[in-house]
Amino acid sequence: MWICLCEAVTSTTIREVIEDGAASVGAVAEACGAGTVCGKCKRTIAVMVDQHSPAEKKRFARWR
């Protein structure tokens, strides 16, 4: 799914960047450009970063 239309960045790319270590919206922006033009996607990127945090992974691990 397209997350950042201005820079043509998909959710897959953002997930890959987060898995490679980007732990903030700024780090994602630096890695792939998402959120650097109009900023409308920053909230979605923040949610994606939060969902992939170590605490969230631990929380969901017990349901697997």
Side-chain angles (χ1 to χ4, degrees):
M1 172 180 359
W2 295 105
I3 300 298
C4 179
L5 296 176
C6 297
E7 291 293 316
V9 181
T10 64
S11 57
T12 301
T13 299
I14 293 173
R15 268 190 236 102
E16 289 171 354
V17 166
I18 293 169
E19 289 172 5
D20 286 343
S24 68
V25 174
V28 171
E30 188 175 316
C32 67
T36 60
V37 179
C38 78
K40 288 182 181 179
C41 59
K42 285 184 177 183
R43 185 175 302 191
T44 303
I45 296 167
V47 169
M48 292 178 74
V49 169
D50 288 345
Q51 287 175 343
H52 287 84
S53 72
E56 286 297 309
K57 286 181 181 179
K58 287 179 187 175
R59 190 176 112 199
F60 288 114
R62 59 185 167 164
W63 298 106
R64 290 183 180 177

